[in-house]
Amino acid sequence: MNEMHVTDNMTETLCYMYSGKLLLRHEIYLDDATFQKLLINGSFQIIQPFKQQLFIHTCQRCGNTNQSYIGKIDCACCKQEHIYCRKCIEMGRMMSCEPLYLWTGITPSWPLHENPCTWTGTLTTVQAQAAKRIVRAIHLAEKELLVWAVCGAGKTEMLFPGITEALQQGKRICIATPRADVVRELKPRMQQAFQHVLVQALYGGSKDKDGAAQLIIATTHQLLRFQDAFDLMIIDEIDAFPYHTDPSLPFATKRASKTSSTTIYLTATPRKQQQSLIRRKKLPHIFVPVRYHGYPLPVPQMKMTFSLRKALQHYQPPVQFISWLKLRDNPNRQLLIFVPTTALAEQLQVNVSTMMIKEKLIQYNREVDFVHAKDSQRAEKVQHFRNKSIKVMITTTILERGVTFPSVDVAILDAGHEVFDEAALVQIAGRAGRSADDPTGEVMFFHDGKTEAMVQAISAIKQMNKRGGIQ
């Protein structure tokens, strides 16, 4: 890159690109001479990658203090041994000889949008009440608000008035979620709802790279590259893996928010910690107990399957599952089959295809596919399922939440497996009956011994329906 003369206009342009960012040198797309001038004039601040107290090294990017994640490596550049953090290495390896850089130049002035929302839909009475509470939190700059809304309540649409309020105030907004699939689904919906506002999506492999938009949708991992960036932070699915199990992700979302920011939490299945805070009135919240179409949440049925273990060991669908397939109340619905492991998702696909062709439930092998977190074709397969070119999708918990398919039945094979905790089971059940045109849908738990998680999940769904006045 040729050397550039650093002008006031250039600095103003760069502030939108780098303000609120905490980056390694190779993530700053400037030639060395220009970058050095910006360092000298104070537009960038050097942040040492690690803090050390006694024998404890703290990673300044992800906040990790667990020394089992701190490794040592010989540096090819300076020929010395340096420490590095394995906890956030997927964001690019950061060694003790490579500092982070924080933009400390002029602050960007984000535009005030008079009428940014182009969505023409209508909120239900319950949705409108929740949306009004969200707007109030943003207008009054409240510190935090939890929106507890059942699966299929229409949380995304409830956000539109709040995002409108923030854009009218010239605020910068981030919608963060643990899953890349959710980011991919939200991007077109947000862009359609705010057609005259630049919306960018950040996740591993995303086309958007600079993260310079006023409205950002990102995986929570991507927030490791931000600091003091956002006036409004919306965290979707705060109970989801890995957000609730990985301390670096709440750390990153908090650091990415300005001290004066408002944080909106969204969840259908709050964890015990959030429920305790709600009971103690330490966490303001709004509760939405009904789906947008007014129909109840489908209540799962438990099916004892004595041959389950033997069938799955041979990657075969259990006999009880086959019997259910033949008797489904709406065979035209697509089918989501959840399994506990990646290997099972891959290996089961062939045998399910063969069985369904034999029973004349489908015509072609390609109508059944599988997907999991490490699948390189994951995004394409989910889109094919959404387009209905795939009728049956075998999946791990990667599709348990945040994705909407209008007409599906749901089956879990080995519902008693430890990966299916209460929250996961409730979320999986919530994939069914999401459309007003087909608001029911069947949910089946195939198991060889019911677990407390299964019992509690069904109880929670019934309780939600009761609180919503629809049983």
Side-chain angles (χ1 to χ4, degrees):
M1 186 182 294
N2 295 326
E3 178 182 345
M4 295 180 284
H5 181 59
V6 180
T7 64
D8 290 342
N9 287 339
M10 178 185 172
T11 304
E12 185 175 355
T13 300
L14 290 175
C15 81
Y16 287 93
M17 181 73 70
Y18 295 114
S19 178
K21 300 282 186 65
L22 189 65
L23 302 172
L24 294 168
R25 175 64 183 95
H26 73 268
E27 296 170 325
I28 300 171
Y29 304 115
L30 298 170
D31 64 87
D32 287 336
T34 303
F35 179 67
Q36 288 302 318
K37 289 178 181 178
L38 290 166
L39 270 177
I40 292 170
N41 72 19
S43 293
F44 281 103
Q45 175 186 347
I46 296 175
I47 305 293
Q48 294 303 320
F50 295 93
K51 277 187 178 180
Q52 183 176 1
Q53 187 174 11
L54 297 177
F55 299 104
I56 304 297
H57 292 90
T58 301
C59 175
Q60 293 296 89
R61 181 167 61 182
C62 70
N64 170 59
T65 57
N66 186 338
Q67 300 307 287
S68 65
Y69 286 109
I70 302 297
K72 293 184 178 181
I73 192 171
D74 292 328
C75 178
C77 295
C78 51
K79 310 300 181 184
Q80 296 182 26
E81 186 179 66
H82 293 299
I83 63 171
Y84 70 101
C85 180
R86 288 196 293 264
K87 188 75 173 66
C88 57
I89 195 170
E90 64 184 43
M91 307 301 293
R93 187 167 63 194
M94 183 182 68
M95 296 192 294
S96 54
C97 65
E98 296 181 359
L100 293 159
Y101 297 94
L102 176 67
W103 177 267
T104 49
I106 62 174
T107 302
S109 179
W110 298 99
L112 282 70
H113 301 264
E114 187 175 354
N115 295 299
C117 189
T118 52
W119 183 62
T120 58
T122 303
L123 296 175
T124 66
T125 301
V126 178
Q127 286 178 318
Q129 289 174 347
K132 185 177 180 180
R133 180 65 183 90
I134 293 169
V135 168
R136 185 179 123 195
I138 296 166
H139 181 74
L140 298 178
E142 295 181 28
K143 194 64 182 174
E144 56 186 359
L145 173 70
L146 182 138
V147 180
W148 181 356
V150 298
C151 298
K155 291 189 289 292
T156 301
E157 289 76 15
M158 285 185 258
L159 291 174
F160 293 162
I163 293 172
T164 297
E165 171 73 17
L167 291 170
Q168 288 173 337
Q169 294 185 29
K171 293 186 175 183
R172 194 179 189 198
I173 305 149
C174 178
I175 303 173
T177 179
R179 304 282 176 86
D181 300 278
V182 181
V183 176
R184 282 189 284 262
E185 177 159 308
L186 281 177
K187 168 71 183 293
R189 294 176 68 183
M190 285 295 166
Q191 192 64 82
Q192 181 66 29
F194 299 92
Q195 294 177 16
H196 307 300
V197 179
L198 178 61
V199 180
Q200 289 184 326
L202 303 179
Y203 55 90
S206 61
K207 294 180 181 178
D208 297 330
K209 299 294 183 184
D210 56 18
Q214 188 172 3
L215 177 52
I216 297 284
I217 307 168
T219 57
T220 45
H221 279 92
Q222 292 295 321
L223 297 184
L224 291 167
R225 294 193 175 103
F226 288 87
Q227 179 168 325
D228 300 322
F230 301 104
D231 304 285
L232 173 60
M233 177 67 74
I234 300 169
I235 308 176
D236 192 17
E237 307 290 3
I238 59 167
D239 62 295
F241 176 86
Y243 187 84
H244 78 100
T245 59
D246 186 345
S248 69
L249 300 181
F251 169 85
T253 54
K254 184 176 181 180
R255 186 183 59 194
S257 305
K258 295 180 181 178
T259 54
S260 59
S261 68
T262 296
T263 299
I264 307 293
Y265 306 106
L266 306 176
T267 181
T269 48
R271 298 280 171 175
K272 291 180 180 179
Q273 178 186 3
Q274 286 93 36
Q275 294 192 41
S276 174
L277 290 171
I278 289 171
R279 286 193 299 270
R280 291 156 48 206
K281 301 188 184 302
K282 299 289 187 181
L283 178 60
H285 80 289
I286 182 75
F287 182 61
V288 184
V290 294
R291 290 184 150 186
Y292 77 95
H293 52 52
Y295 287 84
L297 296 158
V299 178
Q301 300 177 54
M302 290 191 286
K303 186 67 175 178
M304 184 66 183
T305 310
F306 293 104
S307 62
L308 179 72
R309 196 67 49 203
K310 182 177 180 181
L312 295 184
Q313 284 176 351
H314 293 87
Y315 304 112
Q316 295 286 345
V319 173
Q320 290 86 346
F321 170 74
I322 298 172
S323 299
W324 170 72
L325 280 182
K326 296 177 184 178
L327 298 173
R328 288 162 68 200
D329 63 12
N330 186 348
N332 293 321
R333 290 191 190 114
Q334 290 175 277
L335 177 61
L336 277 172
I337 305 173
F338 285 85
V339 295
T341 67
T342 295
L344 194 54
E346 292 184 353
Q347 299 296 326
L348 195 62
Q349 183 256 340
V350 174
N351 292 327
V352 169
S353 298
T354 302
M355 178 274 298
M356 294 188 76
I357 290 173
K358 179 181 177 182
E359 300 293 340
K360 298 183 180 180
L361 300 173
I362 58 171
Q363 290 182 305
Y364 309 105
N365 278 324
R366 64 177 178 270
E367 292 182 278
V368 179
D369 213 332
F370 67 87
V371 69
H372 51 75
K374 297 181 180 179
D375 191 337
S376 61
Q377 296 180 303
R378 167 176 159 190
E380 293 85 350
K381 288 180 179 181
V382 172
Q383 189 58 49
H384 288 319
F385 189 72
R386 185 170 282 115
N387 295 339
K388 299 188 177 181
S389 56
I390 294 174
K391 290 187 177 181
V392 180
M393 182 69 83
I394 304 171
T395 178
T396 58
T397 54
I398 197 66
L399 294 184
E400 76 177 33
R401 62 179 74 218
V403 289
T404 299
F405 309 109
S407 182
V408 298
D409 286 332
V410 175
I412 305 178
L413 301 184
D414 198 6
H417 193 281
E418 62 183 1
V419 304
F420 299 120
D421 62 11
E422 178 188 339
L425 292 171
V426 171
Q427 289 283 355
I428 289 171
R431 297 314 98 201
R434 297 178 74 91
S435 170
D437 296 327
D438 186 12
T440 54
E442 296 182 70
V443 180
M444 298 294 298
F445 291 173
F446 292 94
H447 67 95
D448 58 358
K450 65 182 179 181
T451 62
E452 183 179 356
M454 292 162 59
V455 173
Q456 291 299 323
I458 293 172
S459 176
I461 291 169
K462 289 180 177 179
Q463 186 65 27
M464 288 291 181
N465 288 338
K466 183 177 180 181
R467 291 183 69 174
I470 43 173
Q471 298 186 60

